Amino acid sequence: EVQLQQSGPEVGRPGSSVKISCKASGYTFTDYVMNWVKQSPGQGLEWIGWIDPEYGSTDYAEKFKKKATLTADTSSSTAYIQLSSLTSEDTATYFCARSGAPFDYWGQGVMVTVSS
Amino acid sequence: EIVLTQSPTTIAASPGEKVTITCRASSSVSYMYWYQQKSGASPKLWIYDTSKLASGVPNRFSGSGSGTSYSLTINTMETEDAATYYCQQWSSTPLTFGSGTKLEIK
């Protein structure tokens, strides 16, 4: 059974960074791209970017290029997103989602709250 | 960037009623994907490659369209279908989602 297990909720101070994990199981981690999606409170879905775990190659939406860094550890089948220079605009739920083409499996989401 | 415009933003339907949600793309896309999201839960893949139902999706759902105009239809609304539905395009990066259609039961 494919599962994407994300880490727990995070609280970050303005200007700091947080790093969220997404541990994959039930499939070969390097066979699929991992995407990250942001959902602000009460809002829709925004694609942040993806990482190809096999090669480490990444692609980001323009607005997230200076905000997010995607990495992957093939030894633990875990993908990561680091969010830097946190502001109130980063308060949101962040999902990882596996894709071949569509996003067929999603993590449970991680709530990131930016608060002083 | 391909912008996806969904309509309506919100719709209320009675059980047994037919429901159609549309998604218009600012440029032509090859396929459309649809996700269902219920409150407090992760989105679920619902329809892929425009018209194929994801595993476990009831056959009262269907998808259609081409080019810049796509739709998701529920033949007979059921209470469990109340959710927010998002369209998504994969034809070019950045991948984009529609703003969502909230479907409520009347």
Side-chain angles (χ1 to χ4, degrees):
Chain A
E1 178 193 6
V2 172
Q3 289 190 330
L4 301 178
Q5 183 64 41
Q6 296 188 240
S7 48
E10 296 273 358
V11 178
R13 294 193 182 279
S16 69
S17 298
V18 295
K19 192 171 186 178
I20 299 166
S21 66
C22 171
K23 183 170 177 59
S25 61
Y27 72 98
T28 301
F29 184 59
T30 50
D31 283 353
Y32 293 84
V33 162
M34 190 68 78
N35 295 268
W36 291 88
V37 175
K38 176 183 180 181
Q39 186 168 39
S40 300
Q43 301 301 309
L45 305 171
E46 283 186 277
W47 180 72
I48 296 170
W50 70 36
I51 183 166
D52 182 337
E54 182 171 12
Y55 301 107
S57 53
T58 55
D59 192 10
Y60 297 87
E62 190 65 36
K63 70 175 288 188
F64 292 104
K65 283 184 176 178
K66 294 184 179 180
K67 172 60 61 178
T69 301
L70 305 183
T71 57
D73 178 356
T74 56
S75 67
S76 63
S77 299
T78 304
Y80 299 91
I81 180 171
Q82 179 165 318
L83 302 168
S84 61
S85 303
L86 293 174
T87 73
S88 59
E89 297 290 304
D90 300 317
T91 293
T93 298
Y94 293 84
F95 297 98
C96 58
R98 185 189 88 160
S99 65
F103 294 4
D104 56 358
Y105 289 92
W106 295 66
Q108 81 274 23
V110 173
M111 180 69 199
V112 173
T113 303
V114 180
S115 174
S116 55
Chain B
E1 172 176 327
I2 296 177
V3 176
L4 301 180
T5 303
Q6 284 185 237
S7 61
T9 302
T10 307
I11 183 170
S14 301
E17 192 175 339
K18 184 175 183 177
V19 176
T20 298
I21 299 168
T22 65
C23 179
R24 296 193 188 282
S26 59
S27 300
S28 182
V29 299
S30 301
Y31 297 101
M32 192 60 70
Y33 302 90
W34 295 89
Y35 299 85
Q36 180 198 68
Q37 186 180 33
K38 294 193 174 183
S39 182
S42 305
K44 293 182 180 179
L45 177 63
W46 215 244
I47 294 174
Y48 66 100
D49 292 354
T50 300
S51 60
K52 299 175 182 176
L53 302 185
S55 177
V57 175
N59 61 12
R60 61 181 177 273
F61 284 86
S62 64
S64 64
S66 65
T68 61
S69 183
Y70 294 83
S71 63
L72 177 157
T73 299
I74 306 172
N75 203 35
T76 50
M77 174 78 180
E78 295 198 8
T79 54
E80 66 182 22
D81 301 335
T84 300
Y85 294 85
Y86 295 93
C87 57
Q88 181 207 31
Q89 65 82 22
W90 186 271
S91 290
S92 66
T93 58
L95 307 186
T96 50
F97 293 89
S99 55
T101 294
K102 186 174 184 179
L103 174 58
E104 300 172 331
I105 196 78
K106 196 183 289 184

PDB file of all heavy atoms in Angstrom, chain A residues 67-96:
ATOM      1  N   LYS A  67      11.602  30.852  -1.833  1.00  0.00           N
ATOM      2  CA  LYS A  67      10.959  30.503  -0.580  1.00  0.00           C
ATOM      3  C   LYS A  67      11.204  29.035  -0.184  1.00  0.00           C
ATOM      4  O   LYS A  67      11.413  28.708   0.968  1.00  0.00           O
ATOM      5  CB  LYS A  67       9.443  30.745  -0.713  1.00  0.00           C
ATOM      6  CG  LYS A  67       8.578  30.273   0.421  1.00  0.00           C
ATOM      7  CD  LYS A  67       8.936  30.950   1.760  1.00  0.00           C
ATOM      8  CE  LYS A  67       8.758  32.437   1.691  1.00  0.00           C
ATOM      9  NZ  LYS A  67       9.071  33.074   3.006  1.00  0.00           N
ATOM     10  N   ALA A  68      11.138  28.152  -1.165  1.00  0.00           N
ATOM     11  CA  ALA A  68      11.176  26.717  -0.878  1.00  0.00           C
ATOM     12  C   ALA A  68      12.402  26.054  -1.467  1.00  0.00           C
ATOM     13  O   ALA A  68      12.885  26.426  -2.544  1.00  0.00           O
ATOM     14  CB  ALA A  68       9.920  26.054  -1.446  1.00  0.00           C
ATOM     15  N   THR A  69      12.915  25.062  -0.738  1.00  0.00           N
ATOM     16  CA  THR A  69      13.995  24.214  -1.246  1.00  0.00           C
ATOM     17  C   THR A  69      13.566  22.762  -1.079  1.00  0.00           C
ATOM     18  O   THR A  69      13.234  22.325   0.032  1.00  0.00           O
ATOM     19  CB  THR A  69      15.300  24.458  -0.475  1.00  0.00           C
ATOM     20  OG1 THR A  69      15.670  25.828  -0.590  1.00  0.00           O
ATOM     21  CG2 THR A  69      16.412  23.582  -1.044  1.00  0.00           C
ATOM     22  N   LEU A  70      13.555  22.041  -2.192  1.00  0.00           N
ATOM     23  CA  LEU A  70      13.141  20.634  -2.184  1.00  0.00           C
ATOM     24  C   LEU A  70      14.366  19.734  -2.234  1.00  0.00           C
ATOM     25  O   LEU A  70      15.266  19.956  -3.052  1.00  0.00           O
ATOM     26  CB  LEU A  70      12.235  20.341  -3.380  1.00  0.00           C
ATOM     27  CG  LEU A  70      10.998  21.230  -3.537  1.00  0.00           C
ATOM     28  CD1 LEU A  70      10.163  20.750  -4.732  1.00  0.00           C
ATOM     29  CD2 LEU A  70      10.164  21.258  -2.279  1.00  0.00           C
ATOM     30  N   THR A  71      14.377  18.737  -1.369  1.00  0.00           N
ATOM     31  CA  THR A  71      15.438  17.747  -1.362  1.00  0.00           C
ATOM     32  C   THR A  71      14.822  16.370  -1.156  1.00  0.00           C
ATOM     33  O   THR A  71      13.638  16.245  -0.798  1.00  0.00           O
ATOM     34  CB  THR A  71      16.462  18.024  -0.253  1.00  0.00           C
ATOM     35  OG1 THR A  71      15.785  18.061   1.010  1.00  0.00           O
ATOM     36  CG2 THR A  71      17.195  19.342  -0.481  1.00  0.00           C
ATOM     37  N   ALA A  72      15.642  15.346  -1.384  1.00  0.00           N
ATOM     38  CA  ALA A  72      15.178  13.978  -1.184  1.00  0.00           C
ATOM     39  C   ALA A  72      16.336  13.109  -0.734  1.00  0.00           C
ATOM     40  O   ALA A  72      17.472  13.281  -1.191  1.00  0.00           O
ATOM     41  CB  ALA A  72      14.568  13.424  -2.464  1.00  0.00           C
ATOM     42  N   ASP A  73      16.030  12.183   0.165  1.00  0.00           N
ATOM     43  CA  ASP A  73      17.018  11.225   0.668  1.00  0.00           C
ATOM     44  C   ASP A  73      16.562   9.842   0.212  1.00  0.00           C
ATOM     45  O   ASP A  73      15.603   9.287   0.775  1.00  0.00           O
ATOM     46  CB  ASP A  73      17.092  11.308   2.187  1.00  0.00           C
ATOM     47  CG  ASP A  73      18.070  10.316   2.793  1.00  0.00           C
ATOM     48  OD1 ASP A  73      18.646   9.503   2.045  1.00  0.00           O
ATOM     49  OD2 ASP A  73      18.254  10.354   4.018  1.00  0.00           O
ATOM     50  N   THR A  74      17.239   9.294  -0.784  1.00  0.00           N
ATOM     51  CA  THR A  74      16.807   8.005  -1.311  1.00  0.00           C
ATOM     52  C   THR A  74      17.055   6.872  -0.319  1.00  0.00           C
ATOM     53  O   THR A  74      16.352   5.862  -0.348  1.00  0.00           O
ATOM     54  CB  THR A  74      17.510   7.692  -2.636  1.00  0.00           C
ATOM     55  OG1 THR A  74      18.924   7.740  -2.424  1.00  0.00           O
ATOM     56  CG2 THR A  74      17.133   8.709  -3.707  1.00  0.00           C
ATOM     57  N   SER A  75      18.012   7.038   0.591  1.00  0.00           N
ATOM     58  CA  SER A  75      18.306   5.957   1.543  1.00  0.00           C
ATOM     59  C   SER A  75      17.161   5.754   2.527  1.00  0.00           C
ATOM     60  O   SER A  75      16.981   4.655   3.053  1.00  0.00           O
ATOM     61  CB  SER A  75      19.597   6.251   2.302  1.00  0.00           C
ATOM     62  OG  SER A  75      19.441   7.381   3.143  1.00  0.00           O
ATOM     63  N   SER A  76      16.388   6.797   2.771  1.00  0.00           N
ATOM     64  CA  SER A  76      15.255   6.697   3.696  1.00  0.00           C
ATOM     65  C   SER A  76      13.920   6.921   2.998  1.00  0.00           C
ATOM     66  O   SER A  76      12.875   6.977   3.665  1.00  0.00           O
ATOM     67  CB  SER A  76      15.411   7.713   4.833  1.00  0.00           C
ATOM     68  OG  SER A  76      15.384   9.034   4.309  1.00  0.00           O
ATOM     69  N   SER A  77      13.953   7.053   1.676  1.00  0.00           N
ATOM     70  CA  SER A  77      12.714   7.278   0.904  1.00  0.00           C
ATOM     71  C   SER A  77      11.912   8.461   1.454  1.00  0.00           C
ATOM     72  O   SER A  77      10.694   8.386   1.626  1.00  0.00           O
ATOM     73  CB  SER A  77      11.844   6.018   0.879  1.00  0.00           C
ATOM     74  OG  SER A  77      12.517   4.952   0.271  1.00  0.00           O
ATOM     75  N   THR A  78      12.635   9.523   1.714  1.00  0.00           N
ATOM     76  CA  THR A  78      11.998  10.696   2.329  1.00  0.00           C
ATOM     77  C   THR A  78      12.281  11.953   1.502  1.00  0.00           C
ATOM     78  O   THR A  78      13.421  12.202   1.122  1.00  0.00           O
ATOM     79  CB  THR A  78      12.496  10.905   3.764  1.00  0.00           C
ATOM     80  OG1 THR A  78      12.258   9.720   4.528  1.00  0.00           O
ATOM     81  CG2 THR A  78      11.780  12.076   4.421  1.00  0.00           C
ATOM     82  N   ALA A  79      11.220  12.701   1.245  1.00  0.00           N
ATOM     83  CA  ALA A  79      11.340  13.990   0.573  1.00  0.00           C
ATOM     84  C   ALA A  79      11.176  15.100   1.609  1.00  0.00           C
ATOM     85  O   ALA A  79      10.482  14.910   2.623  1.00  0.00           O
ATOM     86  CB  ALA A  79      10.281  14.122  -0.517  1.00  0.00           C
ATOM     87  N   TYR A  80      11.813  16.202   1.349  1.00  0.00           N
ATOM     88  CA  TYR A  80      11.782  17.319   2.284  1.00  0.00           C
ATOM     89  C   TYR A  80      11.460  18.622   1.543  1.00  0.00           C
ATOM     90  O   TYR A  80      11.823  18.791   0.380  1.00  0.00           O
ATOM     91  CB  TYR A  80      13.138  17.497   2.970  1.00  0.00           C
ATOM     92  CG  TYR A  80      13.601  16.326   3.787  1.00  0.00           C
ATOM     93  CD1 TYR A  80      14.385  15.323   3.207  1.00  0.00           C
ATOM     94  CD2 TYR A  80      13.275  16.215   5.128  1.00  0.00           C
ATOM     95  CE1 TYR A  80      14.818  14.247   3.954  1.00  0.00           C
ATOM     96  CE2 TYR A  80      13.711  15.130   5.889  1.00  0.00           C
ATOM     97  CZ  TYR A  80      14.485  14.158   5.290  1.00  0.00           C
ATOM     98  OH  TYR A  80      14.923  13.078   6.047  1.00  0.00           O
ATOM     99  N   ILE A  81      10.837  19.516   2.284  1.00  0.00           N
ATOM    100  CA  ILE A  81      10.697  20.892   1.820  1.00  0.00           C
ATOM    101  C   ILE A  81      11.138  21.802   2.955  1.00  0.00           C
ATOM    102  O   ILE A  81      10.716  21.635   4.103  1.00  0.00           O
ATOM    103  CB  ILE A  81       9.259  21.222   1.363  1.00  0.00           C
ATOM    104  CG1 ILE A  81       9.166  22.673   0.885  1.00  0.00           C
ATOM    105  CG2 ILE A  81       8.241  20.950   2.464  1.00  0.00           C
ATOM    106  CD1 ILE A  81       7.830  23.023   0.219  1.00  0.00           C
ATOM    107  N   GLN A  82      12.034  22.718   2.624  1.00  0.00           N
ATOM    108  CA  GLN A  82      12.443  23.724   3.585  1.00  0.00           C
ATOM    109  C   GLN A  82      11.881  25.065   3.148  1.00  0.00           C
ATOM    110  O   GLN A  82      12.028  25.456   1.988  1.00  0.00           O
ATOM    111  CB  GLN A  82      13.970  23.808   3.694  1.00  0.00           C
ATOM    112  CG  GLN A  82      14.433  24.861   4.684  1.00  0.00           C
ATOM    113  CD  GLN A  82      15.886  24.710   5.069  1.00  0.00           C
ATOM    114  OE1 GLN A  82      16.380  23.612   5.300  1.00  0.00           O
ATOM    115  NE2 GLN A  82      16.576  25.826   5.151  1.00  0.00           N
ATOM    116  N   LEU A  83      11.248  25.735   4.082  1.00  0.00           N
ATOM    117  CA  LEU A  83      10.670  27.052   3.829  1.00  0.00           C
ATOM    118  C   LEU A  83      11.484  28.070   4.613  1.00  0.00           C
ATOM    119  O   LEU A  83      11.667  27.915   5.828  1.00  0.00           O
ATOM    120  CB  LEU A  83       9.209  27.085   4.269  1.00  0.00           C
ATOM    121  CG  LEU A  83       8.299  26.042   3.607  1.00  0.00           C
ATOM    122  CD1 LEU A  83       6.962  25.976   4.328  1.00  0.00           C
ATOM    123  CD2 LEU A  83       8.105  26.366   2.136  1.00  0.00           C
ATOM    124  N   SER A  84      11.980  29.074   3.927  1.00  0.00           N
ATOM    125  CA  SER A  84      12.885  30.030   4.558  1.00  0.00           C
ATOM    126  C   SER A  84      12.249  31.409   4.680  1.00  0.00           C
ATOM    127  O   SER A  84      11.232  31.715   4.051  1.00  0.00           O
ATOM    128  CB  SER A  84      14.168  30.123   3.745  1.00  0.00           C
ATOM    129  OG  SER A  84      13.876  30.585   2.442  1.00  0.00           O
ATOM    130  N   SER A  85      12.878  32.236   5.517  1.00  0.00           N
ATOM    131  CA  SER A  85      12.440  33.626   5.717  1.00  0.00           C
ATOM    132  C   SER A  85      10.938  33.710   5.908  1.00  0.00           C
ATOM    133  O   SER A  85      10.224  34.418   5.186  1.00  0.00           O
ATOM    134  CB  SER A  85      12.879  34.483   4.532  1.00  0.00           C
ATOM    135  OG  SER A  85      14.262  34.422   4.342  1.00  0.00           O
ATOM    136  N   LEU A  86      10.469  32.971   6.887  1.00  0.00           N
ATOM    137  CA  LEU A  86       9.026  32.835   7.079  1.00  0.00           C
ATOM    138  C   LEU A  86       8.344  34.170   7.352  1.00  0.00           C
ATOM    139  O   LEU A  86       8.855  35.018   8.095  1.00  0.00           O
ATOM    140  CB  LEU A  86       8.737  31.879   8.231  1.00  0.00           C
ATOM    141  CG  LEU A  86       9.122  30.414   7.993  1.00  0.00           C
ATOM    142  CD1 LEU A  86       8.922  29.604   9.267  1.00  0.00           C
ATOM    143  CD2 LEU A  86       8.319  29.821   6.856  1.00  0.00           C
ATOM    144  N   THR A  87       7.180  34.335   6.734  1.00  0.00           N
ATOM    145  CA  THR A  87       6.281  35.462   6.999  1.00  0.00           C
ATOM    146  C   THR A  87       4.884  34.903   7.237  1.00  0.00           C
ATOM    147  O   THR A  87       4.637  33.701   7.044  1.00  0.00           O
ATOM    148  CB  THR A  87       6.233  36.443   5.827  1.00  0.00           C
ATOM    149  OG1 THR A  87       5.494  35.842   4.752  1.00  0.00           O
ATOM    150  CG2 THR A  87       7.622  36.820   5.342  1.00  0.00           C
ATOM    151  N   SER A  88       3.976  35.763   7.602  1.00  0.00           N
ATOM    152  CA  SER A  88       2.598  35.324   7.849  1.00  0.00           C
ATOM    153  C   SER A  88       1.983  34.692   6.605  1.00  0.00           C
ATOM    154  O   SER A  88       1.085  33.856   6.708  1.00  0.00           O
ATOM    155  CB  SER A  88       1.747  36.503   8.334  1.00  0.00           C
ATOM    156  OG  SER A  88       1.756  37.537   7.368  1.00  0.00           O
ATOM    157  N   GLU A  89       2.471  35.073   5.429  1.00  0.00           N
ATOM    158  CA  GLU A  89       1.961  34.523   4.168  1.00  0.00           C
ATOM    159  C   GLU A  89       2.276  33.023   4.025  1.00  0.00           C
ATOM    160  O   GLU A  89       1.687  32.345   3.188  1.00  0.00           O
ATOM    161  CB  GLU A  89       2.559  35.270   2.982  1.00  0.00           C
ATOM    162  CG  GLU A  89       2.184  36.733   2.916  1.00  0.00           C
ATOM    163  CD  GLU A  89       0.725  36.914   2.566  1.00  0.00           C
ATOM    164  OE1 GLU A  89       0.297  36.393   1.521  1.00  0.00           O
ATOM    165  OE2 GLU A  89       0.012  37.579   3.347  1.00  0.00           O
ATOM    166  N   ASP A  90       3.218  32.549   4.815  1.00  0.00           N
ATOM    167  CA  ASP A  90       3.600  31.132   4.737  1.00  0.00           C
ATOM    168  C   ASP A  90       2.760  30.255   5.649  1.00  0.00           C
ATOM    169  O   ASP A  90       2.891  29.019   5.604  1.00  0.00           O
ATOM    170  CB  ASP A  90       5.077  30.979   5.093  1.00  0.00           C
ATOM    171  CG  ASP A  90       5.966  31.757   4.146  1.00  0.00           C
ATOM    172  OD1 ASP A  90       5.709  31.721   2.921  1.00  0.00           O
ATOM    173  OD2 ASP A  90       6.913  32.421   4.630  1.00  0.00           O
ATOM    174  N   THR A  91       1.926  30.840   6.463  1.00  0.00           N
ATOM    175  CA  THR A  91       1.006  30.055   7.290  1.00  0.00           C
ATOM    176  C   THR A  91       0.043  29.310   6.372  1.00  0.00           C
ATOM    177  O   THR A  91      -0.725  29.925   5.622  1.00  0.00           O
ATOM    178  CB  THR A  91       0.236  30.955   8.267  1.00  0.00           C
ATOM    179  OG1 THR A  91       1.138  31.503   9.219  1.00  0.00           O
ATOM    180  CG2 THR A  91      -0.854  30.171   8.985  1.00  0.00           C
ATOM    181  N   ALA A  92       0.116  27.990   6.419  1.00  0.00           N
ATOM    182  CA  ALA A  92      -0.634  27.173   5.466  1.00  0.00           C
ATOM    183  C   ALA A  92      -0.443  25.703   5.801  1.00  0.00           C
ATOM    184  O   ALA A  92       0.361  25.337   6.658  1.00  0.00           O
ATOM    185  CB  ALA A  92      -0.147  27.436   4.037  1.00  0.00           C
ATOM    186  N   THR A  93      -1.185  24.875   5.101  1.00  0.00           N
ATOM    187  CA  THR A  93      -0.953  23.435   5.129  1.00  0.00           C
ATOM    188  C   THR A  93      -0.166  23.054   3.885  1.00  0.00           C
ATOM    189  O   THR A  93      -0.485  23.528   2.779  1.00  0.00           O
ATOM    190  CB  THR A  93      -2.278  22.663   5.169  1.00  0.00           C
ATOM    191  OG1 THR A  93      -2.979  22.989   6.369  1.00  0.00           O
ATOM    192  CG2 THR A  93      -2.041  21.158   5.127  1.00  0.00           C
ATOM    193  N   TYR A  94       0.846  22.234   4.076  1.00  0.00           N
ATOM    194  CA  TYR A  94       1.709  21.825   2.977  1.00  0.00           C
ATOM    195  C   TYR A  94       1.561  20.318   2.778  1.00  0.00           C
ATOM    196  O   TYR A  94       1.718  19.533   3.719  1.00  0.00           O
ATOM    197  CB  TYR A  94       3.170  22.190   3.281  1.00  0.00           C
ATOM    198  CG  TYR A  94       3.365  23.692   3.300  1.00  0.00           C
ATOM    199  CD1 TYR A  94       3.078  24.425   4.450  1.00  0.00           C
ATOM    200  CD2 TYR A  94       3.794  24.381   2.171  1.00  0.00           C
ATOM    201  CE1 TYR A  94       3.224  25.805   4.470  1.00  0.00           C
ATOM    202  CE2 TYR A  94       3.942  25.755   2.184  1.00  0.00           C
ATOM    203  CZ  TYR A  94       3.652  26.458   3.331  1.00  0.00           C
ATOM    204  OH  TYR A  94       3.785  27.829   3.346  1.00  0.00           O
ATOM    205  N   PHE A  95       1.245  19.949   1.552  1.00  0.00           N
ATOM    206  CA  PHE A  95       1.067  18.547   1.186  1.00  0.00           C
ATOM    207  C   PHE A  95       2.211  18.089   0.289  1.00  0.00           C
ATOM    208  O   PHE A  95       2.653  18.840  -0.587  1.00  0.00           O
ATOM    209  CB  PHE A  95      -0.228  18.349   0.386  1.00  0.00           C
ATOM    210  CG  PHE A  95      -1.497  18.667   1.117  1.00  0.00           C
ATOM    211  CD1 PHE A  95      -2.125  19.894   0.944  1.00  0.00           C
ATOM    212  CD2 PHE A  95      -2.088  17.724   1.945  1.00  0.00           C
ATOM    213  CE1 PHE A  95      -3.306  20.188   1.596  1.00  0.00           C
ATOM    214  CE2 PHE A  95      -3.279  18.003   2.603  1.00  0.00           C
ATOM    215  CZ  PHE A  95      -3.886  19.245   2.432  1.00  0.00           C
ATOM    216  N   CYS A  96       2.629  16.850   0.470  1.00  0.00           N
ATOM    217  CA  CYS A  96       3.421  16.196  -0.552  1.00  0.00           C
ATOM    218  C   CYS A  96       2.470  15.321  -1.364  1.00  0.00           C
ATOM    219  O   CYS A  96       1.445  14.847  -0.844  1.00  0.00           O
ATOM    220  CB  CYS A  96       4.571  15.372   0.033  1.00  0.00           C
ATOM    221  SG  CYS A  96       4.100  14.068   1.194  1.00  0.00           S
TER     222      CYS A  96
END
